[in-house]
Amino acid sequence: MNTTPLDPARRRLLAGGAGALAAAGLGAAPGLARASEAAAKEAAPAAKPLPAYAAWKDADSVIVHSANTIETRRGAFGDGVITPSRELYVRNNLPPPDASILDDRDAWTVEIQGVKNPRSFTLAELKTLGVETMATVLQCSGNGRGFFPHKPSGTQWQVGAAGCVLWTGIPVRALVEQLGGVDGDLKYMTGTGGEKLPEGLDPKTLMVERSVPREAMQDAMLAWEMNNEPLSLAHGGPLRLIVPGYTGVNNVKYIKRLAFTADQSPVKIQQTSYRIAPLDAKPGPEHPSAWAMTPKSWITAPGADGEPVKAGRALVRGVAFGGMHAVKRVDVSVDGGKTWKQAALVGPDLGKYAWRQFALAVELPAGQHTLASRVEDSEGNVQVENREENARGYLNSSWRDHALQITVS
């Protein structure tokens, strides 16, 4: 497991973000200072311990909901574009495989099917065929579930089942080209995870296998590094399918099979789970799948984790992403959406699938304030005000739900 300190790339990104803040005339704002660790710990409830496979995470930056669900605290996102691995959320549909699969990473094999020349590759072989690095937002389909009033089953995520990370690996399109292309009119790209399944049960009820539209292949990747380090067990190592713009469940961990298929996978996690069904309906294949993400943003400071906020000048900060498209602009409100002002986009632009930091200097008088943000993507799609009600609490992008209530003294 990796417990290394902040890597050089992360330091460069932080420096870039700070420089952009200064250029925007915001660098001297007192809101840049993060709340003291002592105050945050005093306000926090007793924490659950980190599970062994993720023991290297920063316990002060995350909320442990269960052994398979770990959330990033709202105030821990900080001022850098890239979310440090030690702070990134974790969501596993099954317990991870034994850590021994990382003993010889290069021996890991993945089978490629549905192409004209199907075959298996070791990770060592994949590394000789091509390499790219890209940044994407990784977000659980249920991020924001905790805001649904009907309290759907599942982890009651707030904003922290998301992060922006760097992936390194081989583009799926390049691999498919080397195998002669897709074999016919196959409509889906299907990834199968390598988790160990309990014996005596129908594999279709448990296995992690997700299908997405074939066109997602163009930007997809088989990744073996995250944030410039070998991919950890907690995040799908030694090899993970990355599908930019799609929710986390479609980014299959421990991938053992990548296939182009005529139909969507028949397993439960594809057919009935992760479906956007009405409140009074049982989710099924007739309902839309949790695939592409929509424009979303939220405030990360000041007062994100209940730390004191002093009256006067403050810097409202946050993160924003477009899902399938680049961020065009972000507006901020300090009065619950009655009035809006355009924020500055700060820090490096790492591509359309990454998120952007934003900042707006404001004057906050003493009293109660509702801080909100609203992003618009490059295609003119604007973050929605209200959530789409659905049975399982998926894809909540409501700016009103994600607004931050603070007390200024």
Side-chain angles (χ1 to χ4, degrees), residues 294-339:
T294 54
K296 186 172 181 176
S297 67
W298 59 84
I299 304 294
T300 61
D305 291 328
E307 66 272 17
V309 181
K310 298 294 184 182
R313 183 176 170 88
L315 193 66
V316 177
R317 314 194 307 280
V319 296
F321 54 97
M324 299 297 289
H325 305 288
V327 170
K328 178 181 178 181
R329 63 176 286 166
V330 179
D331 294 315
V332 166
S333 174
V334 297
D335 55 16
K338 295 177 182 178
T339 60

Side-chain angles (χ1 to χ4, degrees), residues 41-342:
K41 289 179 180 178
E42 184 178 348
K48 295 180 182 178
L50 286 160
Y53 72 91
W56 51 274
K57 294 282 184 180
D58 179 3
D60 292 332
S61 298
V62 299
I63 303 165
V64 180
H65 294 287
S66 73
N68 288 323
T69 52
I70 303 171
E71 179 171 3
T72 308
R73 294 187 181 277
R74 186 190 281 249
F77 286 109
D79 296 317
V81 177
I82 296 300
T83 306
S85 302
R86 64 182 183 276
E87 298 175 5
L88 182 64
Y89 84 101
V90 174
R91 168 68 171 111
N92 288 319
N93 280 284
L94 290 173
D98 190 88
S100 61
I101 67 171
L102 302 183
D103 290 345
D104 186 359
R105 293 171 176 271
D106 283 350
W108 183 264
T109 60
V110 60
E111 188 174 1
I112 312 300
Q113 298 178 343
V115 292
K116 292 181 180 177
N117 299 297
R119 57 161 292 187
S120 294
F121 291 92
T122 64
L123 179 49
E125 289 173 320
L126 288 179
K127 290 177 179 178
T128 69
L129 300 178
V131 64
E132 285 187 9
T133 296
M134 66 176 170
T136 77
V137 171
L138 186 68
Q139 179 184 223
C140 179
S141 308
N143 197 29
R145 178 185 287 131
F147 300 123
F148 282 81
H150 72 286
K151 297 302 177 187
S153 62
T155 302
Q156 299 300 298
W157 306 106
Q158 298 290 306
V159 303
C164 184
V165 293
L166 286 171
W167 305 103
T168 297
I170 183 170
V172 171
R173 66 178 184 279
L175 185 59
V176 170
E177 287 173 3
Q178 294 186 54
L179 296 176
V182 176
D183 188 17
D185 185 23
L186 303 176
K187 300 183 184 305
Y188 299 98
M189 180 175 70
T190 299
T192 306
E195 295 93 343
K196 184 177 180 180
L197 302 177
E199 295 181 1
L201 298 176
D202 181 357
K204 290 184 179 179
T205 66
L206 293 172
M207 67 187 303
V208 178
E209 184 172 87
R210 288 288 295 179
S211 302
V212 297
R214 170 175 161 174
E215 55 266 27
M217 171 188 74
Q218 296 304 318
D219 292 327
M221 170 185 285
L222 291 175
W224 53 78
E225 282 192 4
M226 186 181 84
N227 290 353
N228 301 326
E229 296 177 339
L231 197 52
S232 67
L233 189 71
H235 295 295
L239 190 67
R240 182 172 188 172
L241 174 64
I242 302 303
V243 188
Y246 285 68
T247 61
V249 69
N250 302 290
N251 294 245
V252 177
K253 297 177 179 177
Y254 324 111
I255 187 162
K256 292 297 291 182
R257 172 180 172 265
L258 180 66
F260 293 91
T261 57
D263 301 305
Q264 295 182 35
S265 170
V267 305
K268 179 182 177 181
I269 200 172
Q270 181 74 31
Q271 292 295 316
T272 60
S273 301
Y274 293 93
R275 294 283 175 169
I276 316 300
L279 293 179
D280 58 352
K282 184 177 180 180
E286 69 275 16
H287 300 119
S289 191
W291 279 340
M293 297 185 292
T294 54
K296 186 172 181 176
S297 67
W298 59 84
I299 304 294
T300 61
D305 291 328
E307 66 272 17
V309 181
K310 298 294 184 182
R313 183 176 170 88
L315 193 66
V316 177
R317 314 194 307 280
V319 296
F321 54 97
M324 299 297 289
H325 305 288
V327 170
K328 178 181 178 181
R329 63 176 286 166
V330 179
D331 294 315
V332 166
S333 174
V334 297
D335 55 16
K338 295 177 182 178
T339 60
W340 297 88
K341 289 186 178 179
Q342 185 173 355

